[in-house]
Amino acid sequence: MLMSWRIFATEFESANYYTKNYLFDAQIYSVNTFVSENSLSYEIGNFTPHLDYAQYQGLDKYQESDFGLGSEYKLTDKLTLDIGSWYYYYYKAGGHYFEPYTSLSYDWIVSPTLYVSMITYNYTPRATFSLDYSKSLTEKIKLTIRPVVGTADYDDRYGYYGGVLNLDYNINEYFTLFSITEVVKPFSSLDNNIVYTYSFGLKISL
């Protein structure tokens, strides 16, 4: 029994927050939106299968539910591969689609992550590349800076670049308060105006 607890580890994470603008691929999907993102993972050696669920509810009546299934695999101590699929459902529009994805991340001083997916509604890929740099300001406060570039195709392919600033306040091992500021600039798009959002909420880890 003791050996099985060391080999198998279950973890639940939940982030619940308000965001001024719900951004996805440098597009504003909803304004004044309440979000709940949840993940249940089960570590088996180098494999970590995970179930994911996200709910978006905007004060503008926007509503979306996302369901994810995937698995992480530690290729080395620093290199991690994540493969899975998302299912998106949009209540008001009645639209839905699958998005198989592959993500590769490397844990270093600056941690790069490459996310590549295939959106099934138009069979065209989208991809993002980001770099995370985290620094503990105090024993309880951590700052993370993330520059990001990406490309997507919604009838017309376009690119975008921007940055994310994340500030965490660790209450204890289970609860963390956080705030996020994100600014993104599309290019080669029908609308190249800068978009932004700010968010704040609570993360729970069990």
Side-chain angles (χ1 to χ4, degrees), residues 23 26 48 87 138 181 184 188 201 203:
L23 298 184
T48 307
Y87 172 75
T138 69
T181 302
V184 185
S188 300
K203 285 187 283 191

Side-chain angles (χ1 to χ4, degrees), residues 9-14 39-41 172-175 203-206:
T10 303
E11 183 174 336
F12 173 74
E13 293 185 344
S14 179
S39 180
L40 180 66
S41 60
N172 54 41
E173 61 178 317
Y174 303 112
F175 300 101
K203 285 187 283 191
I204 303 170
S205 299
L206 301 175

Side-chain angles (χ1 to χ4, degrees), residues 3-73:
M3 180 62 71
S4 65
W5 277 109
R6 290 193 183 101
I7 296 175
F8 304 109
T10 303
E11 183 174 336
F12 173 74
E13 293 185 344
S14 179
N16 301 276
Y17 58 95
Y18 161 85
T19 185
K20 172 61 178 175
N21 296 310
Y22 166 31
L23 298 184
F24 189 77
D25 287 339
Q27 297 188 42
I28 297 177
Y29 274 49
S30 174
V31 297
N32 296 317
T33 306
F34 293 92
V35 184
S36 178
E37 298 175 340
N38 306 275
S39 180
L40 180 66
S41 60
Y42 191 73
E43 185 178 344
I44 311 171
N46 289 331
F47 286 93
T48 307
H50 53 87
L51 287 170
D52 307 289
Y53 170 72
Q55 181 69 36
Y56 302 84
Q57 181 67 59
L59 295 182
D60 56 0
K61 308 301 182 183
Y62 180 89
Q63 190 176 4
E64 174 188 338
S65 292
D66 302 340
F67 305 88
L69 174 63
S71 182
E72 292 185 357
Y73 178 67

Side-chain angles (χ1 to χ4, degrees), residues 97-98 100 117-126 153 155 157:
Y97 61 88
F98 283 96
S117 68
M118 179 70 72
I119 299 176
T120 55
Y121 84 89
N122 62 2
Y123 301 101
T124 58
R126 72 179 184 91
D153 186 350
D155 297 326
R157 180 158 294 281

